Amino acid sequence: MGTSYEVQFISLEAAVSDAFIENEIEKLLEELDRGIFTTYSLDSELSHVNQLPLDLPVSVSKHLLSVLELSKEISELSGGAFDITVAPLVNLWGFGPEAHNIFSELPSELAINEAMLKVGLDNLLIDEGASQVTKTADITLDLSGVAKGYAVDQVANLLGDLNVESYFIEVGGEIKIKGLKPNNQEWIPAIEAPVYGSSQLYALLRSLGETISLAGSGDYRNYYERGGVRYSHEIDPRTGKPITHNLAAAFVIDESAARADALATAFMVLGPSEAQELILQEEIKALLIFRIENSQFQSFISDGFSRYLAK
Ligand code: ADP
Ligand code: MG
């Protein structure tokens, strides 16, 4: 997944050693990343699906099936703003594994239109009962906007199975926390201000004794500028172009880190007003941070989210 992870946990059960738990976490993440989700190698399950011929149903693992189903759900909820078939556009604009544009001209309208012909999640049929998927057009799946969150959920499930009741799991910035530390202190996730480089605190959260996931998405780590315009790695499949609005970051709290991850990406693509509408309509726990000037921000915080802000 091209990222790092960190897991802190308090284990009280003498039957399993910390080293065993660490090893299980590593095996799980290896299986999810190298085995299933990565597009940086041709051997992963996802890469195999991407190489499939059209109209041929193929069985997929339960992990891939769940992420694809969730992706479809968030795609529908966001009116197509979140779309895991956006890869040809991500590459065209210089962000993906096949990126070729970063240091040259911006893509032409013609190239954008051609790439858009290969985008659209409608072209993936999912048969949940049979655990099969079928590609009906030449699409390429890219799970970068949701897989890290899914990995967080899976590590949480694993720790649950091993009777670990207190943890702080972080994969590529998406997190899940449960329980208290031994001194009865809460795990305290921090939200950074959306500025590149130096890390500045924006807000601190608390879990209120719940198991919560927090995922974020921003325009400030992976972007380039041309002619004073910021081109970020979130691409709007509806226009074929990177987002250029002033929504700098979106954070979502949810039970599922995968859902929070996908929603945060969806909000970045939807932009300030459409994101707010959806948050209110679906009562999503979300924080949106708008860039007013270079390092000046304003925020929108839904009621559900504000409960978790440490005062
Ligand atoms: P981060 O890596 O900052 O956590 P996200 O979770 O928002 O970011 O994922 C961004 C990645 O998702 C991009 O690098 C790209 O591969 C992919 N992506 C870009 N645009 C979309 C989109 N509209 N829908 C789904 N995935 C996208
Ligand atoms: Mg995301």
Side-chain angles (χ1 to χ4, degrees), residues 1 5 8 18 63 68 83 186 196 247 251 256 260:
M1 299 183 214
Y5 68 91
Q8 298 180 53
D18 290 357
H63 290 306
L68 294 177
D83 191 323
E186 291 187 312
Y196 183 73
L247 180 54
F251 291 90
S256 151

Side-chain angles (χ1 to χ4, degrees), residues 95-231:
F95 295 105
E98 288 163 43
H100 47 71
N101 188 61
I102 286 187
F103 300 110
S104 56
E105 301 275 289
L106 294 177
S108 66
E109 290 295 328
L110 183 68
I112 294 169
N113 289 334
E114 266 175 27
M116 281 174 83
L117 294 175
K118 295 187 174 178
V119 176
L121 198 46
D122 293 348
N123 299 312
L124 182 75
L125 306 182
I126 304 177
D127 183 339
E128 189 188 346
S131 299
Q132 286 186 329
V133 299
T134 311
K135 288 190 339 191
T136 58
D138 183 17
I139 49 168
T140 307
L141 307 175
D142 163 15
L143 298 173
S144 313
V146 55
K148 284 172 286 185
Y150 185 82
V152 168
D153 287 329
Q154 294 310 305
V155 173
N157 288 347
L158 170 70
L159 292 179
D161 291 345
L162 295 170
N163 297 320
V164 174
E165 295 295 330
S166 174
Y167 53 69
F168 184 113
I169 302 165
E170 179 262 321
V171 178
E174 325 301 4
I175 67 181
K176 188 163 211 155
I177 55 178
K178 180 179 187 184
L180 296 172
K181 295 194 250 179
N183 52 9
N184 271 341
Q185 279 182 343
E186 291 187 312
W187 300 106
I188 302 182
I191 290 179
E192 277 180 9
V195 283
Y196 183 73
S198 73
S199 156
Q200 282 175 43
L201 184 66
Y202 194 82
L204 292 177
L205 298 184
R206 41 186 314 199
S207 65
L208 303 172
E210 300 167 18
T211 304
I212 57 167
S213 307
L214 169 72
S217 176
D219 73 348
Y220 53 99
R221 254 177 271 118
N222 205 342
Y223 72 94
Y224 55 87
E225 283 182 356
R226 288 285 181 287
V229 178
R230 175 188 292 245
Y231 294 92

